[in-house]
Amino acid sequence: MTRQPVPLPAEHIPPGTADWRTPDAQRWLAAVPARWAHPLWALLALVASLIWDMVAAPVAPCTSADPCAADWLGLGVSVVLVLTLYWVWRQPRLALAGLAAVLTGFAVDGGFTAALGEPSALAFLMAAAFTAAGLVHRLAVAVRQRALALEAAGPVAQPLPAAARTFRRGRFSFALAALLLAAAGFGYWQAQQVVDAYEERAAGATHLSGRVTALKEDDDGIGILKVEADGRTHRFETAFPEDFPVDSRVDIVVDGDWAALVAEPYDAFGWELLVLVGSVTGLAFLANGVDGRTRSQRLRRGPLPVLHVLVREGQDDGRTWVFAADDPEGLRPILHFHSLYAFEDEDGDEEGDEDGDEEGDEDGDGLDAGDGPAAVVELGKVTEILRGEDPPQPLREAVLYGVLHVGAEVAFVARDDADDAEVSVECSVTAVKPAVPRLVELGPQRRKRMDPRRSVDEITAGMTPTAGPRAWTAHSFSRALGLGLLLVQGGGIWVTLDEELSWTWLWLAVGLPWLVTAVATALTWRITADRDGLWVTGAWRVRRIPWNVITSVRHSDDGIRVGRAKDSPVELSPTGWAWLERRLGREPHAGRAVEELQALLLRPELRPLEEAPTGRQGVPVGPPLVALSVLWGVAVLLLL
């Protein structure tokens, strides 16, 4: 029997609110960006063309006339370029502005003229044009989706609920941006200190011309240049030894025991790198904060279109999935986003200030918890999800506020469950994304990714009651993984013992116990179900878990976890390689085992009638594997 969605009281559904029905929802979903416009292709094209251009373009040598000193203009262009690559993925509008700035710098540097004779420069222009076309297409699709959403909602418009109007975004991103930009400013100040110290000392130093007499590398691989000038030999570290061949002439400045190459006057690379990283990340967070705050304010500005929909919280990642109002079984998800609870503040202060590091992004999946009650509630959700203790979430009736399109901000009103008389208000903290298959998923796996669960009825349909115990054991993929890890273990022992006694032996002491456990589990894990409970065989022992203390059985991160009412869960990991099994078109063996164990847990009539004998309970192989590892280590020491 189909479980009915949790109803929303009629007084919380604004009069005239239209149902978002499947035909309209599917039209909206069909208007998603084309696959050719996926930002991955644009990023690959841009990065490949940039690498080609950097490799093909000749590097200007360091000379006295054009020294390799601090280049703040070039660093600024690099900041804009890296930000543009990030925005291509996250924020199309900012990406267009960044791309325009990069192309302007490219033109000023003579790039358009060079493109006529240099294939690498031409490839960059073509990649930039392809990227721009994809960005414009994604923005045009958003306009189309807005129109379809407004058409489905009709003329009814309502203001946001009071709780949603006090929900703020941007503060967290602004705080991070301030810290990162401060770090960039500190790096710039330190680099300028290095530059000013050199220029001040060089102004009063003696300028000489010397001859390069030798060039070699020290033990750290740093180029050492020997220059003879005015009867003395000076030694200089150089980052570009190829610019100073032996017997060539170089200019130096000398002030007592201090000397410097005019072509390479100082090394401020570390500080420049801090400026680059701090500026890129700081400006990215600043832009995200401004964009998130702007979108949040726009959502509260006036009445919004409303739609009657169904929502469900995702079991694996806490996303909110939206379904059409006439899809009571939740078979066809339309869109999804992360959301947090909004609480009305009686004093009028701003509660629930929330933002992620991907505010306003078009494709973001990130989620950052903020301060206040919203963060506490969401932290509880995340903790339950990570522990695998949260029960399957029901479908709920909801009213969705906002103009729907890829990258939109929305809010919705719904009841948490059928036993809760009060309704809750939640606001999105990541942008709306359509429920379409990911780019790397093919064929039947697309549907499995969006609705991977099977009902208990489907699972039990293929199971029949048996008198004898049921057993699930390591299969071919799990054993292959175990053998691979065993080879890694043996090679690690060989490499470590091949060296003299040093701190690297600590890696063996730390990593070997984990490897032994993983190898033993992958090779011989076993779960046996009998009349009274489960026998779980891991690397080191066999555990008995009665049926009446089992709270859950889950498969995640290539492991199986059996929850217990009082004691800590019993875990087996690894039990295979689910990612590879799916890519090869096979259902993960451990996942199938967990489904059948869940069915036995929920349907006692399917449990075996007999108790498992000792021979069918499994044997842990961790202890003999330890002995084998010790023998292998002794053999390695004798052979070396």
Side-chain angles (χ1 to χ4, degrees):
M1 179 180 294
T2 301
R3 184 179 178 182
Q4 294 299 316
V6 176
L8 181 65
E11 61 269 21
H12 292 282
I13 303 177
T17 300
D19 289 344
W20 201 21
R21 298 193 173 276
T22 298
D24 293 330
Q26 291 299 325
R27 287 174 59 205
W28 184 92
L29 190 59
V32 298
R35 294 180 71 80
W36 67 265
H38 193 283
L40 176 64
W41 307 129
L43 284 177
L44 290 177
L46 282 175
V47 171
S49 62
L50 285 169
I51 293 175
W52 184 13
D53 191 51
M54 286 189 294
V55 171
V59 179
C62 301
T63 64
S64 299
D66 186 16
C68 294
D71 181 12
W72 298 118
L73 179 61
L75 189 142
V77 172
S78 300
V79 168
V80 174
L81 180 58
V82 176
L83 280 172
T84 300
L85 295 176
Y86 168 72
W87 286 334
V88 164
W89 191 274
R90 298 298 184 192
Q91 298 181 359
R93 287 184 176 83
L94 290 177
L96 280 174
L99 194 61
V102 170
L103 290 176
T104 300
F106 187 72
V108 171
D109 199 33
F112 287 99
T113 304
L116 299 176
E118 297 180 10
S120 59
L122 181 60
F124 173 72
L125 285 179
M126 294 175 64
F130 174 73
T131 301
L135 294 172
V136 171
H137 172 75
R138 288 159 63 186
L139 292 174
V141 162
V143 173
R144 170 63 175 161
Q145 286 183 319
R146 287 172 59 91
L148 291 172
L150 289 172
E151 180 182 341
V156 177
Q158 295 288 332
L160 275 179
R165 290 197 294 272
T166 64
F167 191 87
R168 299 292 186 267
R169 294 182 59 188
R171 186 173 60 186
F172 184 67
S173 284
F174 289 144
L176 281 179
L179 290 174
L180 292 165
L181 291 176
F186 176 75
Y188 175 79
W189 176 69
Q190 288 291 340
Q192 279 299 117
Q193 291 289 98
V194 174
V195 174
D196 294 342
Y198 165 77
E199 291 179 349
E200 181 180 353
R201 192 158 191 178
T206 302
H207 290 250
L208 300 173
S209 177
R211 182 176 66 88
V212 178
T213 59
L215 179 63
K216 63 178 183 179
E217 289 187 356
D218 62 10
D219 295 337
D220 297 326
I222 299 175
I224 303 297
L225 199 68
K226 289 186 178 181
V227 178
E228 185 176 318
D230 196 26
R232 294 179 59 187
T233 299
H234 302 274
R235 295 165 56 89
F236 304 98
E237 292 184 357
T238 175
F240 306 99
E242 64 276 7
D243 293 341
F244 309 102
V246 176
D247 290 332
S248 63
R249 305 292 298 183
V250 295
D251 295 324
I252 63 174
V253 287
V254 179
D255 182 16
D257 294 334
W258 176 84
L261 284 171
V262 176
E264 286 188 44
Y266 48 79
D267 181 12
F269 176 76
W271 297 118
E272 290 176 306
L273 184 61
L274 177 60
V275 173
L276 176 65
V277 175
S279 298
V280 168
T281 53
L283 290 174
F285 274 108
L286 179 62
N288 288 342
V290 171
D291 188 72
R293 182 58 60 91
T294 301
R295 289 172 181 266
S296 179
Q297 291 174 348
R298 189 182 305 140
L299 193 66
R300 303 190 305 271
R301 189 172 299 164
L304 298 168
V306 289
L307 285 169
H308 183 215
V309 297
L310 299 176
V311 298
R312 172 188 285 154
E313 184 174 330
Q315 187 79 1
D316 298 325
D317 52 16
R319 288 192 183 101
T320 297
W321 293 83
V322 176
F323 303 82
D326 57 352
D327 184 13
E329 296 183 0
L331 299 177
R332 296 173 295 276
I334 307 302
L335 57 90
H336 60 86
F337 50 86
H338 283 99
S339 62
L340 287 181
Y341 288 98
F343 296 92
E344 186 174 358
D345 182 16
E346 297 179 357
D347 298 329
D349 296 333
E350 293 184 359
E351 290 263 357
D353 179 65
E354 179 58 38
D355 64 280
D357 66 347
E358 297 168 4
E359 292 180 26
D361 67 48
E362 181 177 333
D363 301 284
D365 289 329
L367 178 64
D368 292 308
D371 303 323
V376 175
V377 173
E378 189 64 20
L379 182 59
K381 289 185 184 180
V382 173
T383 302
E384 288 180 345
I385 291 169
L386 293 178
R387 290 178 177 175
E389 298 173 354
D390 58 318
Q393 300 298 314
L395 275 172
R396 300 175 287 158
E397 279 190 291
V399 174
L400 196 62
Y401 291 78
V403 184
L404 297 177
H405 59 86
V406 175
E409 299 268 335
V410 294
F412 68 91
V413 176
R415 292 168 65 193
D416 287 338
D417 53 60
D419 298 328
D420 193 348
E422 299 295 327
V423 300
S424 60
V425 179
E426 296 187 45
C427 296
S428 62
V429 293
T430 57
V432 165
K433 292 182 63 179
V436 295
R438 292 187 176 181
L439 194 63
V440 297
E441 293 173 337
L442 302 174
Q445 297 302 323
R446 296 176 180 174
R447 175 55 59 185
K448 180 181 287 188
R449 175 66 179 86
M450 285 183 276
D451 191 12
R453 299 184 179 277
R454 297 192 302 161
S455 66
V456 176
D457 292 334
E458 289 180 282
I459 299 169
T460 57
M463 301 176 62
T464 56
T466 60
R470 293 177 181 267
W472 298 266
T473 62
H475 58 304
S476 56
F477 279 93
S478 182
R479 293 192 179 104
L481 178 63
L483 290 174
L485 292 174
L486 184 61
L487 292 176
V488 171
Q489 175 185 325
I493 294 174
W494 181 289
V495 171
T496 304
L497 297 182
D498 189 30
E499 301 179 357
E500 295 182 358
L501 182 63
S502 66
W503 66 270
T504 58
W505 284 41
L506 291 175
W507 290 107
L508 186 63
V510 173
L512 189 58
W514 178 86
L515 272 174
V516 170
T517 302
V519 170
T521 303
L523 288 176
T524 60
W525 68 267
R526 181 185 183 94
I527 299 178
T528 303
D530 65 8
R531 178 188 61 198
D532 300 320
L534 300 180
W535 296 94
V536 181
T537 304
W540 305 104
R541 58 175 171 163
V542 180
R543 297 174 185 261
R544 179 60 165 170
I545 312 177
W547 288 115
N548 59 0
V549 303
I550 299 175
T551 58
S552 64
V553 184
R554 296 188 179 276
H555 174 238
S556 62
D557 297 330
D558 293 320
I560 296 176
R561 174 176 176 159
V562 181
R564 295 187 289 181
K566 296 181 179 179
D567 299 321
S568 60
V570 176
E571 298 189 43
L572 298 175
S573 180
T575 55
W577 193 356
W579 180 89
L580 182 59
E581 292 176 66
R582 291 192 182 100
R583 292 305 178 274
L584 295 178
R586 301 186 181 185
E587 183 179 7
H589 177 76
R592 168 67 71 172
V594 165
E595 287 184 340
E596 295 180 356
L597 286 167
Q598 290 173 338
L600 294 181
L601 183 62
L602 297 174
R603 303 286 174 84
E605 66 273 13
L606 294 176
R607 296 173 187 172
L609 303 177
E610 301 175 357
E611 187 175 354
T614 304
R616 298 198 60 181
Q617 295 172 8
V619 178
V621 297
L625 192 58
V626 170
L628 180 63
S629 300
V630 172
L631 291 175
W632 171 245
V634 172
V636 169
L637 290 174
L638 293 176
L639 291 172
L640 295 176

